[in-house]
Amino acid sequence: MAPLLNGYTNGASRHLPEDPSVVESRFSDVPSQIDIPVSGLDAEEAVEVNLEELLDDPTELCTLLEQEGVGKHYWMVIALAYAKQAKVDHAIEILSKGMGTLNRGNPKEKLGPLSLTCWLYLWKSREAPRVVPDGQPAGETRLKDFYLQAATGSLNEASRINPAFPPLFLARGVLYLLRASLQPPSKATAPSAPDLSDRVDTLRQSIKCFEDALRVSSGRNMMAVLGRARAHFSLGKYAEALDGYQEVLNKMPHLQDPDPRIGVGCCLWQLGHKDEAREAWERALELNPDSKIANILLGLYYIHDSSHYATTDPAFGPIYKKAMTVYTQKAFKLDKELPLTCATFGSYFMMRKSWATVDNLARKAIELTDVNAVASDGWYLLARKEHYQDRPDLPKASDYYQKADLARGGGDKGYLPARFGLVQIQILQRDFDGAKFRLEKIIQQSKSIEAMMILGALYAEDVFRSQANGVKEDKSADVKKATTLLEAVRLAWKDPQKKLTPDSSVLVYLARLYETEQPDKALQCLHQVEQMSINDMPDKEPPDGTETDEVWMAKLREQLSPQLLNNIGCFQHHAERHEQAREFFQTALSACVKAGEKDEGIDTDALVTTISYNLARTYEAAGLLDEAKQVYEGLLARHDDYTDARTRLAYIELRQNPQEAGPKVMTALYEADSSNLEVRSLFGWFLSKSKRRAANIAEDQEQRHYKHTLQHHDKHDRYSLTGMGNLYLTTAREMRRDTDQDKDKRRKTYEKAVEFYDKALQLDPRNAYAAQGIAIALVEDKKDLTAAVQLFSKVRDTVKDPSVYINLGHVFAELKQYSRSIESYEAALTYNRASDPQILACLGRVWLLKGKLDKSPAAMKTSLSYSQRALAIAPSQIHFQFNIAFVQIQLAQLLYTLPEAQRTLEDVIKASSGLEEAINSFCEIAQSKNPPYPRHDIEQRANMGRNTMRRQLERAIQSQREYEEKNAAKLQEARELREAEIRRREEEKRRANEQKEEEKRKIREERDKMAQLSRELAEKRMEEERRREEAEYTTDTDGERVKRSKRKKQAAKRKKRAEENSGSETEVGDGEDGTAAAAAKKSRRKKKARSTEPDSAVDSSDAEGGAPKSKKKRKRLARRGGKEGNFKSEELVVDSDSEGASCTVMQTNGGGGGPEDDDGDTRMREAEDEDEDVAVSKQHSRKRNARRIEDEADEDKDEEDEEEEVEDEEPQQQSGKKTTAERDAEEDEESGGGIGGGASFADNPHGDPVDESVGAAGDAGGAEDPLLQI
């Protein structure tokens, strides 16, 4: 019987099926039975062993194999049969015993069993736990590392026998792969620093082993290609890994175990092509529906796809259900021990809070996996399980989170969710600084939205905590950080690609941060929360045609949080939008009722009390005092000890009845609760309005009240401190300043006021009233207007009160910035103070000052208007009447002083009328009981107007009338001229436009003509090209288009030209022969040996002989001298090989010239007008005729140049172009000479052309060598 190897005779190569639909499972080549030969006495016998029904104990079978001394193949086949039935330990035991029997033979016989043993150990390593399971002793459990060491021992033993044994390369590569899976990922390094971790080094060694396996198999070992691709994938080289998997797929499209399509999909996923990865996995599943890897990977794809939708999104449910039920569940049924499936299913049971199942699946994922990322997922599941308990074990959860992070490398390469979980644990442990540090590192690396959200919340909580504790530490930096982070989160919600769900808590934090500095933004955030809450309602659309949108929105708001509605109402109240605030407060009260109906555990009474109080304050601010009183009384009916409501009732009573009921109510309130600071503050305000002024501040009743509050109740009461400052400020303003002692006393009183204001500002830096008091003191005492403006500007941004704008108007008026002063006063009018006569009077004063400064009657008229409005509002105030009369006097005086061109007759007449009114007003004011100024001064001003200004205005009226009558004609003429000029300019403009349009029309016509001509020329050129192509090309015998040959015609022309040159024997110079030159030229082209002329000149008989006799080169010096004509004198040094050539010094335009020289010059100038090619050739000829030295060079080099010239000559002739020598000859012929003396240039202008290249026949570079100028 022939020996068997894996079920094939003599170890024949196994051939995979060509049809991909035909699947071969592992161990399919193991036979179902094997015959073990047994040696008998008479004949050879065999024992048949059924390999499908093997004994549980292989000892008896091993004894039989040892006794019969069978070969290694039997041991290996039986071991494979046991391995096929997942009895790997028995298979290893059989191979161990078999190798013991093979020790007696050739050691190389052990290579096969050793290699198989190594593979079995690697198999066991993949199934062994990664760490010691909980509850098992450490010594009794064999981990992955144990089997990897055993596999290493088998490989080392086999390598000692034959290190070049081919199967060892592949096994060693897989061993390195598995060993790398147990090594932790490398720590984060600098971007340019190389990764020198042990894991990376191990993976590189595995790649080398796989490449060795490919080398020995001549590139046919596809398992080695798969292993190398797997190593590249582990190194993060996904493109290289993808190339490897695709190579295997192209060469072995039928391969399904392992399936390269799985690797292709994983690489595509890592490269960002997730849809293409899904297609690869679906193809793998199509070929093998029971592929557990393809099922779980597709499940992960759909889980990832579902993460793009909110859990409330209708699209989320079907996708997630498909991921779990169609793919993940099937993968779990196929293999309940697959680590990736366990980790994925664990997250599902985590949501269902099945803690025992989560713990079991997570530990399977950790113990059985060969992938660090899957182990990280397992640790993360355990950490979340501990974290989500009602009483979490925080140290244990933190430890699991750290292990999950380290399994993926830790540091910058760690697992972001695990690091995020560590942050949450630190927050629960109140380690806020550590949590901030981790979050900042996370944000630097990943820009995680969740991390920014929590970090912003932590900074915001620090700010709120400091505000609540009254800490004076500057938290502006924390406010800025919190705002920046939370706004970044808010901005990310708008990105449709991220598909993020807005979180209302972020908006609430932002609203609290913006509350003080930017209340409008805070209100915007709360409105967004309101809209989000409405969008989450199931029935948010109104019924068709039943109710309006406003009514339906009010009903929807009643289902919102009462706290949210109350906060929105408060911001509306502070923005002085009292109508909207009242609506929100009323809706909040309705929401409290509905919330109490839904949940009886809510303390609705506290909410109703707070919201009702806010509603009453809104009524009060809107001027609805009766409604406010009704609400306050309702609150007191429910809570009679509600002091704030009682205080507001007393204040309303003081406003409505300041003489009778109000003071009684206030006194009763103060006696009932005199220790309440709010009551004491209101009582102090009441005293300031009702007290009598005391000459001594120490006797002032209000000052005693504030002093008592600061001494016996609260020394840091800010209202009392501000009130004391106001008292001292008012007292200082009214103090005398006649003597230096009075001035010093007044200054100290101002300083005392500033001290109280400063103390109040220390306690509350945002106390705008104290800041305004300091600004007033600076103006009145120090006259520091600039510093006062700065303070008032800051107060204006904080306090919405007209007094701030009034004070700013005063200061700007003192600074003579009248425009800004007017703006401030007008801003004060907008605060329900449009009928305030004091502000109107201030505006009249500023406009008067502005009119006097600008000499503007219009400004004074505006001042008069404001003064009249103030008097209309308060007609009993006599000083307002005085202001009107004063403005009228000033207006009349201004118009009198203005030149006639700057005023009109109507203005002067009105000013005269106003002057009469002012005189009458002054008379009445002087006769009044309490005039604003002394009667004598007022009467004197009236007399001045009656006696002086009246006559001045009469003269002004007369002169203005004469001026206007005199200039009426001139004005009319000027007006007509101006109108005529306007009409002329319009006419010129119209003509210019018409001219431009005409020019544009002509340009368009020219362009159309040029375009038409261009098209015609293009068509003509195309027709010529077509004809030329038809003339140049013909059809050969094969029917192809070929170019016509012109070689014969060009050769005939060349031969004819040579004959003509040889026939004309014109002497050049001192006997130079054209035949000799032509012969030399011909000999050069035919690569004959060169000859040089002798030192002495040759005679005419030698020249007639044609061929040169001397082989020695000669240098010839020729000089041109004489006068300068059309050409510059130049010397020429020529090398000549021709015996007919002579060396002569000639003069251009010199002794041999005469008139014929001019004729030659004329021909030269005419030759310059030839076509471009001839002009270029002439220029080249003139350069060569310059004075030059052509040195001798190697004749072999010259011969090579001549060969190239001869080779280049034939294509030039074929293309119909002239050679360089022919162009030079024609140029010499046109220029009328060669290189002879001056007589030859004049006497024989049409002599034989001389090829100058002959003169350099022996040079290395020929005529093309560079020239050396002398």
Side-chain angles (χ1 to χ4, degrees):
M1 178 179 178
L4 297 177
L5 177 61
N6 292 348
Y8 290 92
T9 305
N10 296 326
S13 298
R14 124 179 222 232
H15 298 281
L16 293 172
E18 297 181 357
D19 186 5
S21 61
V22 178
V23 180
E24 275 202 357
S25 60
R26 297 189 183 186
F27 302 105
S28 59
D29 50 359
V30 176
S32 59
Q33 60 186 15
I34 187 173
D35 295 335
I36 301 175
V38 179
S39 301
L41 297 176
D42 297 331
E44 186 175 305
E45 298 180 358
V47 176
E48 182 179 300
V49 177
N50 188 352
L51 298 180
E52 295 179 353
E53 298 179 0
L54 294 171
L55 300 175
D56 293 337
D57 187 2
T59 304
E60 182 179 349
L61 186 57
C62 291
T63 303
L64 174 64
L65 296 176
E66 289 176 354
Q67 290 178 353
E68 299 302 329
V70 298
K72 64 178 181 179
H73 307 295
Y74 294 95
W75 293 95
M76 295 176 66
V77 169
I78 294 175
L80 287 171
Y82 272 98
K84 182 178 180 180
Q85 298 181 10
K87 300 177 180 179
V88 185
D89 292 332
H90 292 335
I92 294 173
E93 180 184 356
I94 292 171
L95 290 174
S96 299
K97 292 182 178 179
M99 285 186 288
T101 61
L102 295 175
N103 284 333
R104 297 186 294 269
N106 187 1
K108 291 186 178 181
E109 291 292 321
K110 297 173 60 179
L111 286 174
L114 282 172
S115 177
L116 180 56
T117 303
C118 175
W119 284 106
L120 292 175
Y121 278 129
L122 294 177
W123 186 0
K124 289 287 292 182
S125 172
R126 297 205 64 183
E127 295 181 348
R130 185 188 187 95
V131 295
V132 177
D134 286 350
Q136 294 187 13
E140 296 181 1
T141 304
R142 292 183 175 181
L143 306 179
K144 291 180 180 294
D145 189 62
F146 171 82
Y147 292 106
L148 289 180
Q149 292 179 3
T152 303
S154 300
L155 271 179
N156 291 338
E157 185 177 355
S159 298
R160 286 192 290 269
I161 298 174
N162 183 8
F165 187 53
L168 299 182
F169 295 117
L170 185 63
R172 193 175 297 277
V174 175
L175 174 63
Y176 280 128
L177 269 181
L178 294 177
R179 184 176 295 169
S181 68
L182 299 180
Q183 295 172 341
S186 59
K187 297 289 184 181
T189 57
S192 59
D195 194 343
L196 303 177
S197 62
D198 294 339
R199 179 175 177 273
V200 172
D201 185 61
T202 304
L203 290 172
R204 289 172 180 169
Q205 291 179 6
S206 70
I207 293 175
K208 183 178 181 302
C209 294
F210 290 131
E211 289 177 348
D212 291 338
L214 280 172
R215 176 178 50 80
V216 298
S217 66
S218 300
R220 295 192 301 270
N221 192 336
M222 292 297 101
M223 296 298 108
V225 177
L226 285 174
R228 183 179 62 185
R230 179 66 180 85
H232 280 145
F233 186 89
S234 299
L235 286 172
K237 300 178 180 179
Y238 305 116
E240 291 89 335
L242 179 62
D243 293 340
Y245 287 123
Q246 288 177 337
E247 179 185 353
V248 176
L249 189 60
N250 291 333
K251 293 182 179 180
M252 299 180 68
H254 55 276
L255 185 61
Q256 298 181 25
D257 189 17
D259 194 342
R261 299 167 189 83
I262 301 295
V264 168
C266 292
C267 294
L268 290 172
W269 181 278
Q270 294 293 339
L271 292 172
H273 307 293
K274 294 182 169 51
D275 291 334
E276 290 79 357
R278 172 183 55 80
E279 293 174 358
W281 295 331
E282 286 177 347
R283 175 57 179 163
L285 195 63
E286 180 182 348
L287 296 176
N288 183 12
D290 293 334
S291 173
K292 54 187 179 182
I293 299 297
N295 273 288
I296 188 57
L297 288 176
L298 282 172
L300 290 174
Y301 168 83
Y302 285 106
I303 290 175
H304 176 268
D305 191 24
S306 67
S307 65
H308 295 155
Y309 303 93
T311 54
T312 57
D313 196 316
F316 172 81
I319 298 175
Y320 188 78
K321 183 178 181 181
K322 183 177 183 180
M324 299 308 299
T325 59
V326 177
Y327 295 108
T328 306
Q329 189 174 11
K330 183 178 180 181
F332 189 74
K333 289 180 180 179
L334 291 171
D335 186 0
K336 296 183 179 180
E337 305 296 326
L338 185 64
L340 184 57
T341 307
C342 293
T344 306
F345 243 153
S347 62
Y348 169 75
F349 285 107
M350 175 71 66
M351 292 187 297
R352 301 184 61 180
K353 297 184 178 181
S354 300
W355 308 124
T357 307
V358 171
D359 187 84
N360 183 30
L361 293 174
R363 296 193 180 280
K364 282 186 179 181
I366 296 169
E367 295 167 1
L368 302 178
T369 186
D370 294 325
V371 182
N372 288 319
V374 178
S376 176
D377 290 341
W379 291 117
Y380 182 66
L381 285 174
L382 290 178
R384 290 179 64 193
K385 178 184 75 76
E386 295 295 336
H387 192 177
Y388 287 176
Q389 301 296 323
D390 295 334
R391 294 182 178 179
D393 188 348
L394 297 182
K396 197 172 184 179
S398 178
D399 180 58
Y400 288 151
Y401 279 132
Q402 289 180 353
K403 288 182 178 180
D405 185 39
L406 293 175
R408 277 185 163 92
D412 296 344
K413 296 183 178 180
Y415 191 32
L416 181 60
R419 295 161 65 189
F420 200 75
L422 276 172
V423 170
Q424 293 175 321
I425 297 298
Q426 287 178 316
I427 293 174
L428 291 175
Q429 294 175 340
R430 311 205 52 89
D431 182 11
F432 299 120
D433 293 335
K436 290 178 186 177
F437 178 76
R438 284 186 180 274
L439 287 170
E440 287 174 351
K441 295 288 288 183
I442 291 173
I443 292 171
Q444 290 176 2
Q445 298 159 11
S446 64
K447 302 297 181 184
S448 170
I449 300 300
E450 292 79 5
M452 288 192 286
M453 189 186 306
I454 291 187
L455 183 59
L458 288 176
Y459 280 120
E461 289 293 342
D462 282 348
V463 174
F464 303 150
R465 195 179 304 111
S466 298
Q467 293 175 352
N469 296 334
V471 179
K472 297 181 180 180
E473 182 182 358
D474 184 15
K475 288 290 184 179
S476 59
D478 290 345
V479 172
K480 184 176 180 180
K481 288 180 181 179
T483 305
T484 303
L485 290 167
L486 296 175
E487 282 291 355
V489 175
R490 187 181 180 187
L491 183 63
W493 296 342
K494 301 178 182 179
D495 190 352
Q497 297 180 352
K498 295 181 179 180
K499 298 181 179 179
L500 297 174
T501 303
D503 191 342
S504 59
S505 62
V506 174
L507 297 170
V508 173
Y509 274 119
L510 281 172
R512 292 186 65 185
L513 292 169
Y514 286 138
E515 178 181 0
T516 305
E517 299 290 342
Q518 297 171 302
D520 293 338
K521 287 189 175 181
L523 181 60
Q524 182 184 2
C525 293
L526 293 179
H527 277 308
Q528 190 173 351
V529 174
E530 175 195 9
Q531 189 60 43
M532 289 168 52
S533 302
I534 292 175
N535 293 337
D536 292 339
M537 294 180 182
D539 300 330
K540 59 183 178 182
E541 297 297 333
D544 296 337
T546 56
E547 295 175 337
T548 61
D549 293 340
E550 293 77 7
V551 175
W552 182 252
M553 180 60 68
K555 289 187 176 181
L556 290 178
R557 282 176 177 161
E558 292 178 358
Q559 304 178 28
L560 299 178
S561 167
Q563 295 90 335
L564 173 63
L565 297 172
N566 179 61
N567 290 334
I568 295 176
C570 289
F571 279 106
Q572 297 283 11
H573 172 79
H574 286 299
E576 298 184 358
R577 293 187 284 268
H578 304 301
E579 184 65 27
Q580 293 91 326
R582 185 169 68 250
E583 292 177 359
F584 274 99
F585 288 137
Q586 290 172 347
T587 307
L589 290 173
S590 301
C592 287
V593 175
K594 292 190 175 182
E597 295 175 354
K598 293 179 181 178
D599 187 1
E600 296 180 356
I602 299 177
D603 186 7
T604 57
D605 181 68
L607 287 173
V608 169
T609 302
T610 301
I611 297 171
S612 299
Y613 180 81
N614 292 339
L615 177 61
R617 290 299 304 270
T618 304
Y619 283 134
E620 190 178 345
L624 304 175
L625 300 182
D626 294 335
E627 288 82 350
K629 287 178 64 176
Q630 184 178 357
V631 176
Y632 287 136
E633 290 170 355
L635 287 173
L636 289 174
R638 295 169 55 192
H639 304 282
D640 56 353
D641 57 345
Y642 197 179
T643 306
D644 290 338
R646 195 178 297 278
T647 303
R648 297 313 303 177
L649 275 175
Y651 174 74
I652 294 174
E653 196 66 33
L654 282 171
R655 289 185 60 184
Q656 291 180 336
N657 301 297
Q659 302 299 330
E660 299 177 2
K664 294 180 180 179
V665 173
M666 185 69 249
T667 304
L669 174 64
Y670 182 70
E671 292 175 354
D673 194 359
S674 61
S675 61
N676 188 290
L677 291 179
E678 293 295 329
V679 175
R680 296 189 69 86
S681 298
L682 181 62
F683 190 71
W685 174 83
F686 166 70
L687 292 176
S688 68
K689 299 297 181 181
S690 61
K691 70 178 181 178
R692 293 182 179 179
R693 293 184 180 181
N696 187 2
I697 191 173
E699 298 176 359
D700 188 272
Q701 188 177 4
E702 182 184 3
Q703 188 267 351
R704 291 179 177 179
H705 172 74
Y706 291 143
K707 186 176 181 180
H708 188 270
T709 302
L710 294 172
Q711 289 178 346
H712 301 284
H713 294 277
D714 185 4
K715 66 178 180 179
H716 297 307
D717 182 37
R718 291 167 289 180
Y719 188 88
S720 297
L721 290 171
T722 306
M724 289 288 285
N726 292 336
L727 279 173
Y728 278 97
L729 184 66
T730 305
T731 303
R733 183 183 298 133
E734 297 174 353
M735 292 178 68
R736 299 177 61 88
R737 62 195 89 173
D738 298 334
T739 63
D740 292 339
Q741 185 178 3
D742 292 339
K743 292 179 181 178
D744 185 64
K745 186 176 181 181
R746 181 172 179 268
R747 179 181 56 80
K748 290 182 178 179
T749 307
Y750 273 120
E751 290 177 354
K752 189 72 172 178
V754 171
E755 289 179 4
F756 281 109
Y757 288 138
D758 185 64
K759 181 64 175 178
L761 283 173
Q762 290 178 8
L763 296 170
D764 181 12
R766 304 185 63 83
N767 191 333
Y769 298 100
Q772 186 172 212
I774 292 177
I776 296 172
L778 287 174
V779 174
E780 296 180 353
D781 182 32
K782 305 292 185 181
K783 303 299 181 183
D784 190 354
L785 301 177
T786 305
V789 167
Q790 295 178 356
L791 285 173
F792 282 130
S793 299
K794 292 181 179 180
V795 173
R796 177 189 57 191
D797 298 335
T798 305
V799 177
K800 305 300 181 182
D801 191 82
S803 63
V804 183
Y805 291 94
I806 294 172
N807 290 327
L808 272 173
H810 295 339
V811 177
F812 284 132
E814 292 295 328
L815 291 171
K816 297 184 178 181
Q817 299 180 15
Y818 301 124
S819 298
R820 300 183 68 180
S821 176
I822 291 169
E823 291 177 0
S824 300
Y825 287 136
E826 289 178 348
L829 288 176
T830 59
Y831 285 86
N832 295 326
R833 302 286 291 272
S835 300
D836 191 329
Q838 296 296 335
I839 301 176
L840 294 173
C842 291
L843 277 168
R845 172 177 173 270
V846 175
W847 275 108
L848 176 64
L849 295 173
K850 182 177 176 59
K852 292 177 66 176
L853 180 65
D854 300 340
K855 294 184 179 181
S856 171
M860 287 198 173
K861 291 178 182 178
T862 307
S863 173
L864 182 60
S865 175
Y866 277 114
S867 300
Q868 290 172 347
R869 287 174 58 187
L871 181 61
I873 295 172
S876 61
Q877 300 294 328
I878 195 169
H879 59 276
F880 291 154
Q881 186 179 358
F882 177 86
N883 291 342
I884 294 174
F886 184 79
V887 174
Q888 289 171 335
I889 289 285
Q890 294 294 325
L891 179 58
Q893 190 174 1
L894 176 64
L895 287 172
Y896 172 73
T897 58
L898 288 176
E900 290 85 351
Q902 297 181 11
R903 66 189 183 188
T904 64
L905 180 60
E906 182 181 359
D907 291 338
V908 180
I909 293 174
K910 287 184 178 179
S912 178
S913 176
L915 177 62
E916 296 298 332
E917 294 177 1
I919 293 171
N920 296 330
S921 297
F922 282 143
C923 293
E924 292 178 5
I925 295 170
Q927 300 300 323
S928 63
K929 184 178 181 180
N930 294 313
Y933 293 98
R935 288 187 176 88
H936 175 72
D937 295 342
I938 298 174
E939 290 175 353
Q940 186 176 3
R941 187 174 293 274
N943 292 331
M944 183 186 68
R946 185 182 302 112
N947 298 327
T948 304
M949 295 188 65
R950 180 182 292 172
R951 289 194 295 269
Q952 289 176 346
L953 285 180
E954 289 175 355
R955 290 195 298 268
I957 292 172
Q958 183 64 27
S959 63
Q960 187 69 26
R961 181 178 292 111
E962 293 175 357
Y963 172 79
E964 291 186 1
E965 290 175 355
K966 180 180 179 181
N967 291 285
K970 293 182 179 180
L971 291 173
Q972 181 63 26
E973 183 180 357
R975 191 178 300 110
E976 292 176 355
L977 289 175
R978 185 177 61 182
E979 293 176 356
E981 179 68 16
I982 292 173
R983 288 195 298 271
R984 185 185 63 80
R985 290 180 180 179
E986 291 179 352
E987 181 66 19
E988 289 180 354
K989 185 176 180 181
R990 183 185 62 79
R991 290 176 181 175
N993 291 334
E994 291 178 354
Q995 185 178 358
K996 288 181 180 179
E997 292 296 329
E998 181 65 19
E999 291 177 356
K1000 290 180 180 179
R1001 184 187 62 79
K1002 291 180 179 180
I1003 291 172
R1004 285 196 297 270
E1005 291 178 355
E1006 290 294 333
R1007 287 178 178 173
D1008 294 340
K1009 291 179 181 179
M1010 293 173 65
Q1012 180 64 24
L1013 182 59
S1014 299
R1015 286 192 294 270
E1016 293 176 357
L1017 290 175
E1019 293 174 358
K1020 184 177 179 181
R1021 192 180 300 110
M1022 291 175 62
E1023 181 64 21
E1024 291 176 356
E1025 291 290 339
R1026 185 184 61 79
R1027 291 177 181 175
R1028 187 182 297 111
E1029 184 177 355
E1030 290 178 355
E1032 290 181 357
Y1033 285 84
T1034 184
T1035 304
D1036 60 3
T1037 56
D1038 297 334
E1040 296 181 356
R1041 298 280 290 175
V1042 296
K1043 195 171 184 180
R1044 297 179 186 274
S1045 177
K1046 297 182 180 181
R1047 183 171 301 179
K1048 294 181 179 180
K1049 186 176 181 180
Q1050 295 293 338
K1053 287 183 179 180
R1054 190 165 58 252
K1055 184 177 180 181
K1056 182 178 180 180
R1057 187 180 294 109
E1059 292 175 355
E1060 292 175 356
N1061 291 338
S1062 62
S1064 58
E1065 298 180 354
T1066 304
E1067 292 184 358
V1068 179
D1070 295 332
E1072 184 177 12
D1073 190 294
T1075 307
K1081 178 179 177 182
K1082 187 174 181 181
S1083 63
R1084 181 183 178 189
R1085 290 173 179 168
K1086 293 183 179 181
K1087 297 183 292 185
K1088 292 183 178 182
R1090 291 162 181 77
S1091 60
T1092 59
E1093 67 180 24
D1095 298 334
S1096 61
V1098 296
D1099 56 11
S1100 60
S1101 62
D1102 293 334
E1104 291 175 359
K1109 298 179 180 180
S1110 176
K1111 296 184 179 180
K1112 184 176 181 181
K1113 291 185 66 177
R1114 185 174 188 179
K1115 294 184 179 179
R1116 178 180 300 169
L1117 178 63
R1119 182 184 303 274
R1120 292 181 180 180
K1123 292 183 180 181
E1124 287 187 357
N1126 294 329
F1127 297 94
K1128 184 179 178 181
S1129 298
E1130 53 186 7
E1131 294 180 356
L1132 203 65
V1133 179
V1134 181
D1135 287 347
S1136 177
D1137 293 337
S1138 173
E1139 292 182 356
S1142 61
C1143 183
T1144 306
V1145 179
M1146 72 176 183
Q1147 294 182 351
T1148 305
N1149 297 333
E1156 295 178 355
D1157 290 345
D1158 295 335
D1159 185 60
D1161 295 342
T1162 303
R1163 290 190 180 92
M1164 289 296 291
R1165 286 193 297 271
E1166 291 174 354
E1168 291 176 357
D1169 297 329
E1170 295 295 325
D1171 61 317
E1172 185 179 355
D1173 294 335
V1174 176
V1176 174
S1177 300
K1178 279 180 60 182
Q1179 183 180 0
H1180 182 64
S1181 176
R1182 286 198 301 272
K1183 288 184 179 179
R1184 289 212 308 262
N1185 289 337
R1187 192 174 72 191
R1188 61 189 179 184
I1189 298 177
E1190 300 183 17
D1191 297 332
E1192 293 184 357
D1194 189 88
E1195 293 185 355
D1196 295 336
K1197 180 85 167 67
D1198 189 59
E1199 289 176 0
E1200 295 175 0
D1201 295 339
E1202 290 177 351
E1203 291 173 4
E1204 294 175 359
E1205 185 176 354
V1206 172
E1207 292 172 358
D1208 295 337
E1209 179 182 357
E1210 188 168 321
Q1212 291 175 359
Q1213 293 175 352
Q1214 291 178 0
S1215 61
K1217 296 182 180 179
K1218 298 178 181 180
T1219 64
T1220 304
E1222 291 170 347
R1223 289 197 302 271
D1224 293 344
E1226 291 178 2
E1227 291 169 6
D1228 292 341
E1229 182 178 352
E1230 292 172 359
S1231 61
I1235 58 174
S1240 65
F1241 189 89
D1243 295 338
N1244 190 12
H1246 299 289
D1248 296 338
V1250 179
D1251 189 1
E1252 290 183 13
S1253 64
V1254 177
D1259 293 347
E1264 302 298 326
D1265 278 349
L1267 305 180
L1268 178 61
Q1269 296 286 342
I1270 298 178

